[in-house]
Amino acid sequence: MKKVTTIVSIFLIALLCLQEVVHVSSSPFLYARQVYEESSGGRKLEQEQGQEHAQELHCSRERSRAARKVKEEYLIPFVERENYRLSTKCRLHPENDIFSDQEEHKIFVDRHEWQCGYCKKSFREEKFLDQHFDNRHYNLLNVSHGKCLADLCGAMHCDAVTKFRSPRSKCNLAAAARNRHLCESLADNCFPISDGPAAGRLHELFLHQFCDAHTCSGKHKPFSRGGKILMSKFAVTEYLSLSTGKDQSSFFRLAAGALILVLLPVFYLFLYLIQSDVKNRTQELRRIPKAGWKTKPS
């Protein structure tokens, strides 16, 4: 009886030890699986949050990019020429662009590679980088009210530089009036005339450059004052005129002197040839043979 009890006790102890060994050996796999599930769940949750953020953000990145392009191309060159600083109250100020920081962190490598300036990840197309910003770097956006540059597309003529609207679409009088009102409010807010002569000139330019074209008559076209390319040509011309303006009078004096030095010998040579020709003709007239003359009868 004692032997049977001993054998059963040893068997139970061995069974308990085996169970403990199996539990210890399987715990790393359970832990790894748990970590994987947690990380997968966290990644999935982060992606879902990124998608929710993108849906909550009612601001078109594409139209904001178009408005930014119009501003940089057709307004900023004139602002820089006047050495004028936009106020932060102006809706065109970079701080009032919700995507400005992300756009500055876009690195263009080549046609098929865009790089994120935050985490250095590479993407084949810009649209994938935009999606990456929406999913991974949403927390870097300033989502405060009134910072969507796309809201200004109507006033800034974004359709003129993109393909958002067909050129044959019918003009809407109400929309044109609404966009003109927004455009004029931008001019008043960004370039108040009370700020001085530079602000006054930029205010007038803004009205001609953007606001006058908000009609259905078709008489005025947007960007009538030109843009960055025209300003570059103007700068080159102005630089050349300034660099040569001081020596212009002396250049004309040198040119006139050189012309006189060249023409004066030609003039004297011409006079010499005329005088030589007249002298030769006179001598020929004097040398007419006397045989041709008739003698008087005696």
Side-chain angles (χ1 to χ4, degrees):
M1 187 65 181
K2 292 181 179 180
K3 292 182 178 181
V4 174
T5 305
T6 304
I7 293 173
V8 172
S9 300
I10 294 172
F11 179 77
L12 291 175
I13 293 172
L15 185 62
L16 291 173
C17 292
L18 179 63
Q19 185 178 0
E20 186 67 22
V21 170
V22 171
H23 176 73
V24 172
S25 62
S26 61
S27 59
F29 298 100
L30 293 174
Y31 176 75
R33 183 177 180 181
Q34 182 180 3
V35 171
Y36 173 76
E37 290 178 352
E38 289 178 355
S39 62
S40 300
R43 189 181 300 111
K44 185 176 180 180
L45 179 62
E46 185 178 355
Q47 291 178 354
E48 290 178 354
Q49 290 177 349
Q51 293 175 357
E52 291 177 359
H53 291 325
Q55 293 176 357
E56 291 174 359
L57 182 63
H58 300 289
C59 185
S60 171
R61 185 185 293 270
E62 187 177 2
R63 289 185 68 82
S64 295
R65 185 181 297 119
R68 192 179 307 109
K69 178 180 179 181
V70 171
K71 182 185 74 171
E72 296 294 333
E73 182 74 22
Y74 298 104
L75 178 63
I76 296 301
F78 298 97
V79 175
E80 291 177 348
R81 190 178 70 175
E82 294 285 353
N83 293 322
Y84 186 81
R85 296 186 62 181
L86 292 174
S87 170
T88 54
K89 296 180 181 179
C90 174
R91 296 183 64 180
L92 296 174
H93 192 279
E95 291 184 4
N96 295 326
D97 181 3
I98 188 174
F99 298 113
S100 61
D101 188 72
Q102 289 188 351
E103 291 294 324
E104 291 176 359
H105 282 80
K106 283 184 177 180
I107 302 174
F108 176 75
V109 181
D110 56 37
R111 288 181 57 189
H112 301 291
E113 185 177 0
W114 289 79
Q115 194 176 75
C116 173
Y118 298 116
C119 59
K120 305 305 179 183
K121 287 186 178 180
S122 297
F123 302 88
R124 293 186 61 184
E125 296 182 23
E126 186 180 11
K127 63 179 181 180
F128 297 133
L129 179 56
D130 291 338
Q131 295 175 2
H132 170 75
F133 282 151
D134 291 336
N135 294 330
R136 296 287 181 171
H137 303 297
Y138 175 84
N139 59 321
L140 300 175
L141 293 177
N142 187 357
V143 293
S144 59
H145 179 68
K147 294 184 180 295
C148 182
L149 200 59
D151 295 340
L152 307 180
C153 260
M156 302 290 289
H157 301 281
C158 294
D159 296 336
V161 297
T162 58
K163 297 180 180 179
F164 290 123
R165 188 184 68 174
S166 173
R168 296 182 180 180
S169 59
K170 188 177 180 180
C171 180
N172 189 322
L173 288 173
R178 186 168 57 252
N179 290 331
R180 185 180 182 88
H181 177 72
L182 176 60
C183 182
E184 291 175 349
S185 65
L186 280 175
D188 297 336
N189 182 257
C190 297
F191 309 106
I193 301 177
S194 59
D195 278 1
R201 288 190 294 268
L202 289 171
H203 185 277
E204 182 181 2
L205 178 136
F206 194 91
L207 294 178
H208 289 296
Q209 187 84 318
F210 301 102
C211 303
D212 287 350
H214 286 300
T215 61
C216 292
S217 63
K219 295 181 179 179
H220 302 282
K221 300 296 181 182
F223 323 132
S224 58
R225 297 295 180 90
K228 184 182 294 185
I229 298 177
L230 183 61
M231 288 291 293
S232 300
K233 292 181 179 179
F234 174 79
V236 172
T237 306
E238 186 177 12
Y239 172 77
L240 291 176
S241 63
L242 289 175
S243 61
T244 58
K246 295 180 180 180
D247 300 330
Q248 192 172 10
S249 58
S250 60
F251 172 76
F252 282 123
R253 292 194 192 98
L254 292 174
L259 186 63
I260 292 174
L261 290 176
V262 172
L263 294 179
L264 193 60
V266 175
F267 176 73
Y268 282 113
L269 179 61
F270 181 71
L271 289 178
Y272 173 76
L273 292 176
I274 291 177
Q275 290 179 356
S276 299
D277 185 63
V278 171
K279 185 176 180 180
N280 292 333
R281 288 176 181 271
T282 304
Q283 290 178 355
E284 289 179 358
L285 290 174
R286 289 178 179 180
R287 292 175 181 176
I288 294 176
K290 294 182 180 181
W293 293 0
K294 294 181 179 181
T295 58
K296 295 181 179 181
S298 57

